[in-house]
Amino acid sequence: MTTSDKSANANAAVSARHAHVIGWGMAVPETAMTNDDLSAFVDTSDDWIYARTGIKQRFIANEGESTATLAYLAAQQALEVADILPTDLDLVVVATSTAENIFPSTASLVQDWLNAHEAGAFDLSAACSGFVYAMNMAADSIRAGSIDSALVIGAETMSRILDWQDRSTCILFGDGAGAVVLQANETPGGVLSSVLRSDGAGGDLLAIPSVGSIDANQSRAGANGYKLYKMYMAGGEVFKFATRVVSESVEQACKLADINVEDINLVIPHQANLRILQAAARKLGIDSDKFMSNVERYGNTSAASIPIALCEAIEERRIQNKDHIALVGFGGGLTWASMVIRWGIPKPSEQHGSLLNRQRRHVQYRIAKWRSRSRRWRRRVNSRVRDLQS
Ligand code: ACO
């Protein structure tokens, strides 16, 4: 079966339900680090970084900020825009390479803090492509009818896994989170197509070895340049890979959505490097103005970069109803992914952001804290009682 046959079958099976973006939000740490700040402790300069990457500054998490706290803030904003309650959510997915823990998942923490107690939760690992992968999983679940509403988050604290002595990587990355609410609706549109790809043969080009890694054996670590929990990247190779796959996969996603590349109103790519975006726009034959870029202010926030750029594009009124937008991610794995969305936001209520719902959400956030504490407390008391009885 060809890819377009598969897509046609999938579309026929799920034509009555469409997955629409109805809410969005973003959060970045309080502290910005400029290129000049960086050059105070790494052998680099504002001129070099800006000319090679387009980056001017990035945000770096302080001690009280983490992947989960940033994800939580972005999620609250997305629920506010969607004007739904946390208890309406069926699924919370966090795409991240810098999870709060190996387990429990960052998504489970966010689910608990939001009081989204009707939702399943899991983290998804596909590096900088993770947000598009997660959107695809959630949209497919909505279209298949297994869920109605999903919170999809991309969240990272890249600053925690950077080798701050490696000037070829530490200048590139920043911390942040972005979130969207996807909801089922009969109005045609929303997520139209997705293309997910991986080439594990390129896994050695970009990696963060962790506990399960063969490189956890210290006699091997260091031999190949890897350090546990630190990012390693062959920048030049990744650059060539990225410029190739961005254009190819956007073309494939357009074909599956049955539109031409010229019909795309805005491409929202993973924000890795301005030069990659410019090269990809040239390859696609579309104006670079149609490529959203905010890498200058945030650096590369990995899985968070696409939802953060989406939020800013909406804020800047660069997306209108019925527009076609393309999301495209690429990164470690190697992985890459594209998605075409027809924008058009059937709101749950015309009274968007209504005061009553806002108050109900705030009550639920308070309940969430109380609920978790009381559950832990009850568990401890029960286990003490059992100990005393035995
Ligand atoms: N400051 C000053 N000089 C530097 C720096 C720096 N921060 N970093 C490298 N240099 C030097 C190098 O040592 C080299 O010097 P030499 O010529 O004397 O050997 C020179 O600058 C050129 O280095 P290159 O690596 O060839 O520079 P390039 O133009 O390729 O830019 C960069 C490097 C910015 C990393 C680029 O390759 C890149 O952006 N790659 C893609 C990264 C990316 O997109 N990753 C996305 C996925 S991330 C994810 O999935 C988690």
Side-chain angles (χ1 to χ4, degrees):
M1 198 187 283
T2 66
T3 315
S4 50
D5 289 341
K6 277 193 266 178
S7 161
N9 285 352
N11 285 338
V14 295
S15 55
R17 288 170 66 91
H18 303 270
H20 284 269
V21 176
I22 62 160
W24 48 85
M26 60 169 276
V28 290
E30 280 175 17
T31 312
M33 182 189 276
T34 64
N35 293 345
D36 286 333
D37 294 336
L38 257 172
S39 61
F41 61 93
V42 184
D43 181 14
T44 189
S45 67
D46 177 46
D47 285 349
W48 194 95
I49 299 172
Y50 189 61
R52 301 284 178 127
T53 68
I55 298 167
K56 277 276 180 198
Q57 64 161 41
R58 72 288 292 142
F59 288 85
I60 303 294
N62 65 34
E63 276 179 14
E65 293 166 324
S66 72
T67 301
T69 66
L70 295 169
Y72 175 59
L73 293 175
Q76 282 185 317
Q77 272 187 25
L79 289 174
E80 207 61 36
V81 175
D83 198 19
I84 63 167
L85 301 178
T87 42
D88 294 330
L89 291 169
D90 302 310
L91 182 67
V92 179
V93 191
V94 176
T96 184
S97 301
T98 49
E100 196 87 5
N101 310 289
I102 305 274
F103 65 80
S105 69
T106 309
S108 288
L109 294 176
V110 174
Q111 169 270 315
D112 181 46
W113 297 346
L114 290 172
N115 196 37
H117 58 73
E118 300 292 321
F122 67 96
D123 287 356
L124 185 149
S125 163
C128 305
S129 318
F131 183 75
V132 184
Y133 269 67
M135 285 282 281
N136 173 68
M137 297 297 129
D140 275 357
S141 301
I142 286 172
R143 292 188 298 196
S146 56
I147 61 168
D148 286 327
S149 303
L151 176 65
V152 182
I153 305 171
E156 304 279 13
T157 39
M158 299 304 285
S159 60
R160 305 252 160 92
I161 49 83
L162 291 174
D163 177 350
W164 286 99
Q165 281 153 11
D166 176 5
R167 67 178 181 172
S168 66
T169 52
C170 75
I171 54 137
L172 297 171
F173 295 91
D175 302 336
V180 303
V181 175
L182 275 175
Q183 196 174 61
N185 197 281
E186 288 178 5
T187 312
V191 175
L192 298 184
S193 68
S194 334
V195 175
L196 310 185
R197 295 284 186 272
S198 174
D199 173 13
D204 57 336
L205 300 178
L206 185 55
I208 309 168
S210 174
V211 285
S213 167
I214 198 160
D215 296 301
N217 175 343
Q218 290 300 319
S219 64
R220 285 176 60 100
N224 53 8
Y226 283 12
K227 291 182 190 163
L228 277 184
Y229 305 114
K230 294 293 171 208
M231 174 178 293
Y232 165 84
M233 179 171 73
E237 291 299 318
V238 175
F239 192 101
K240 278 184 257 168
F241 145 76
T243 49
R244 177 173 57 80
V245 298
V246 170
S247 51
E248 266 176 27
S249 74
V250 169
E251 277 167 352
Q252 287 167 351
C254 286
K255 202 166 169 205
L256 288 178
D258 208 14
I259 63 166
N260 297 315
V261 171
E262 304 81 67
D263 298 330
I264 293 288
N265 301 89
L266 191 65
V267 179
I268 303 188
H270 167 47
Q271 305 288 312
N273 182 324
L274 190 60
R275 284 158 58 216
I276 294 178
L277 308 190
Q278 288 165 342
R282 274 197 302 276
K283 272 196 161 189
L284 273 172
I286 64 177
D287 201 304
S288 60
D289 282 357
K290 282 193 176 180
F291 264 65
M292 177 68 194
S293 173
N294 61 7
V295 72
E296 180 173 336
R297 291 189 297 287
Y298 302 105
N300 178 344
T301 55
S302 192
S305 87
I306 293 176
I308 289 175
L310 175 66
C311 287
E312 292 210 325
I314 296 166
E315 209 169 277
E316 292 166 15
R317 298 184 185 282
R318 294 182 68 178
I319 302 177
Q320 312 298 330
N321 264 3
K322 306 231 165 59
D323 275 2
H324 286 108
I325 63 166
L327 312 184
V328 54
F330 53 87
L334 299 169
T335 55
W336 62 103
S338 280
M339 167 171 283
V340 172
I341 300 174
R342 184 156 67 238
W343 204 254
I345 15 178
K347 282 280 170 197
S349 83
E350 286 305 310
Q351 282 288 312
H352 154 56
S354 68
L355 188 61
L356 181 63
N357 274 350
R358 188 167 300 160
Q359 284 167 347
R360 288 168 75 195
R361 273 188 295 276
H362 284 274
V363 169
Q364 290 206 356
Y365 300 149
R366 287 221 184 90
I367 290 173
K369 282 190 190 137
W370 175 85
R371 195 170 166 268
S372 292
R373 272 192 216 129
S374 78
R375 285 182 153 218
R376 282 189 197 119
W377 183 79
R378 259 204 334 258
R379 213 170 35 237
R380 274 184 219 132
V381 170
N382 285 344
S383 108
R384 278 296 286 275
V385 169
R386 271 198 306 273
D387 286 352
L388 289 171
Q389 284 169 344
S390 62

